[in-house]
Amino acid sequence: PTSPSVCLSCYPGEKKIMVARPGNVQFSCLSGSCPPNYVENTPGECTPKCSSDCFNCNPTTPSVCTACYPGSKLITQTTPTNTQNTCVSGGCPSNYAETTPGECIRKCSLNCFDCNPTSPSVCLSCYPGEKKIMVARPGNVQFSCLSGSCPPNYVENTPGECTPKCSSDCFNCNPTTPSVCTACYPGSKLITQTTPTNTQNTCVSGGCPSNYAETTPGECIRKCSLNCFDCNPTSPSVC
């Protein structure tokens, strides 16, 4: 009575068509066949092939939208294993951007569920079933996401989070001594700190210390004999 364009019944020979919109279902009438994105499951009634938020959808997957109703935006929900499109009314979610009018595109790299607003590859949270992994570098801690088990040089002390076994300056380390590095991050050098009673490896960024030489690329070796902390530049045994 209050909506003249919302049909309750149709003339003989016409079909009743469900005009389903998000949060609202209305009926209209039409003559002839049902539109391509509708199906006549009940004689004389056309119902959408798609879920209610889609204007059009994947022919075999009703919940995967290919087009949205006016006022809604198409959002591409991409995960490491799947890509699906849905429709949302209003603005794009916080981790999406409307780079194309009417379409919300993920701001984050593929493996992140949510990310740093200015760094798409730095994850703030992960997809269900994935683990958050701490990528610790000297002076910088970042997070990424991965599926499956933690890498060999990481440990899952907290469920769903992989933390390094090694101290932050090591890329890899002695299994029983986290501060003894066996490999360094790109841009850092492995330095062998040898004393009369001990040998330890650490990583340094920049050049080798004054009493070390980079005889092998990426590795700092002591210039002095074992008993010297520092020595004559031309005589390693003269402390």
Side-chain angles (χ1 to χ4, degrees), residues 42-169:
T42 302
E45 189 169 320
C46 301
T47 54
K49 294 179 182 176
C50 307
S51 60
S52 63
D53 61 334
C54 302
F55 178 75
N56 218 334
C57 61
N58 184 306
T60 58
T61 313
S63 61
V64 177
C65 306
T66 56
C68 301
Y69 287 99
S72 290
K73 294 179 175 68
L74 187 68
I75 179 170
T76 301
Q77 296 180 314
T78 305
T79 72
T81 57
N82 195 15
T83 297
Q84 290 189 347
N85 292 338
T86 58
C87 295
V88 292
S89 58
C92 295
S94 60
N95 54 338
Y96 285 76
E98 190 174 357
T99 51
T100 302
E103 192 169 335
C104 300
I105 304 296
R106 280 179 54 81
K107 295 177 183 176
C108 304
S109 59
L110 185 61
N111 65 324
C112 301
F113 178 75
D114 201 4
C115 61
N116 185 308
T118 57
S119 301
S121 62
V122 177
C123 304
L124 300 179
S125 61
C126 303
Y127 288 96
E130 293 203 324
K131 293 182 174 69
K132 193 175 179 183
I133 180 169
M134 181 189 292
V135 184
R137 300 193 176 208
N140 190 14
V141 175
Q142 297 181 351
F143 289 92
S144 186
C145 298
L146 83 164
S147 57
S149 303
C150 294
N153 54 334
Y154 283 76
V155 61
E156 190 174 356
N157 288 324
T158 302
E161 189 166 320
C162 301
T163 52
K165 294 179 181 177
C166 306
S167 60
S168 64
D169 60 335

Side-chain angles (χ1 to χ4, degrees), residues 191-206:
I191 179 170
T192 302
Q193 296 179 316
T194 306
T195 71
T197 58
N198 195 14
T199 297
Q200 289 190 347
N201 292 339
T202 58
C203 295
V204 292
S205 58

